[in-house]
Amino acid sequence: MFIAEIKSMLKQVLRKLLLPVLYQFYYKPNQNKIRVTRDGKPLKPGISAVVAARDEEYTITMCLESLIEVADQIICIDNGSTDQTLKLMYAFKEKYGSKLKIDVLEMPGALLGDCREAGLKHTEHEWHLRWDSDMVCKTSGPEDMRELRKQVMQDPHPRAIQLPRTNLMGDLRHTYNTPDKVVDPGEPILISFGKDIFYKEYGKFDAIRVPFYYKQVKEDKRHYFHLSGLKSANNLLHRWFYFEWRNEVNKYKDQGLPVPAEVEDFARFKTNFAFDRLGTAEPMAVKYRFLRQFTSPLALYEIAQFGEYPQVVANKIEDGDNRFEVVYKDGKPFLRTDRNDLEFASYKPSNEDVAWNVDSYFERMKKLYS
């Protein structure tokens, strides 16, 4: 960890030293060749938002509608959804396609990195917004995302802007029980588009990489909410397995080693991983225990402390939406219900499920990842 921090500090220093030189002698003379689409066409003024999704029917409409006056182009990428996500993308295009350009790409089975690359390939505007289907813009008040849009249009210098965010978890009324997790610094997701940017995977996740002539900017205002835990249990489990699997695969690939068969086989990896973490591989028991640990560290979202909801989220609450609901036991968050998951609603936890200890699970995870 210490070595990684030193490398990061050196990189920041090097960036500050090289930025003015590269900007003046490389970027400015060549910007007409750099600021182009992937097929070499001039970029249009405005923002292209890329939204990749898989089984996100609950949040996808809120996500897309919040972008209507923020983006000039929305590139929707469906990664093989089995719910209504793709249908809702096409419905959004049908409803709002006259107001802005909307592309819907179907990429079932593609890796997330492939989806990111497709987003770059289809970007037509000067700004690339790496968005996710569980992100929702604020469109009112002092943190209105449209105000940030106005600001970035006025500065031609290539930049990567890091946007902090507010997180909801479990349902629309809950978040983490520690303030440092309710609000986090986010990552660079609003990027001046050009031929020199690309995505790179790092362990579980991916990040956009920009050249040294880009300014690195950290925005103070929280212009969006991350509805990170408002997914079906099946989707949450898939993401848990998928990111851990990708981390293992990349660990071997980064060392130039062959990926072991039990890691390469995603289905086998999921079974082994579930048993190792939760003590069972039986699907319904896995779901029950996963939701126990998922719900345990939650608390009610406090508007007075963390700010107003985005308008589309506030509307959903006012409409009485209660698909997801955190359930309490002995005054503490215990489980989460999903009124669309009829199979889980009828599940009767076994004695082993009931005896499964959440605190012991977290202690073990703390030791495992320390």
Side-chain angles (χ1 to χ4, degrees), residues 43-143:
L43 293 168
K44 304 172 185 176
I47 297 175
S48 292
V50 179
V51 181
R54 183 184 185 277
D55 292 340
E56 299 280 5
E57 64 182 5
Y58 184 74
T59 58
I60 189 63
T61 299
M62 286 189 287
C63 165
L64 296 176
E65 288 185 351
S66 76
L67 288 168
I68 289 173
E69 294 183 5
V70 173
D72 303 272
Q73 176 192 17
I74 301 178
I75 304 160
C76 304
I77 304 175
D78 183 79
N79 188 216
S81 295
T82 58
D83 62 6
Q84 297 296 305
T85 300
L86 182 59
K87 182 179 179 180
L88 291 170
M89 285 178 173
Y90 279 116
F92 176 78
K93 180 177 181 178
E94 177 68 22
K95 186 174 183 180
Y96 296 106
S98 61
K99 292 187 176 183
L100 72 166
K101 180 174 174 55
I102 301 169
D103 300 299
V104 179
L105 309 180
E106 298 182 37
M107 299 181 65
L111 294 175
L112 184 57
D114 297 330
C115 295
R116 300 293 192 204
E117 183 58 35
L120 294 177
K121 182 178 179 181
H122 285 79
T123 293
E124 298 179 1
H125 293 269
E126 292 176 344
W127 287 88
H128 173 83
L129 179 61
R130 173 199 164 178
W131 211 239
D132 286 330
S133 52
D134 55 7
M135 295 178 179
V136 178
C137 295
K138 288 187 176 181
T139 53
S140 61
E143 296 179 317

Side-chain angles (χ1 to χ4, degrees), residues 271 274-275 278-289 343 347 350 353:
T271 299
F275 191 84
L278 302 174
T280 180
E282 196 281 314
M284 296 305 293
V286 166
K287 188 183 292 189
Y288 175 83
R289 298 182 192 190
E343 183 183 30
Y347 177 65
S350 67
D353 289 337

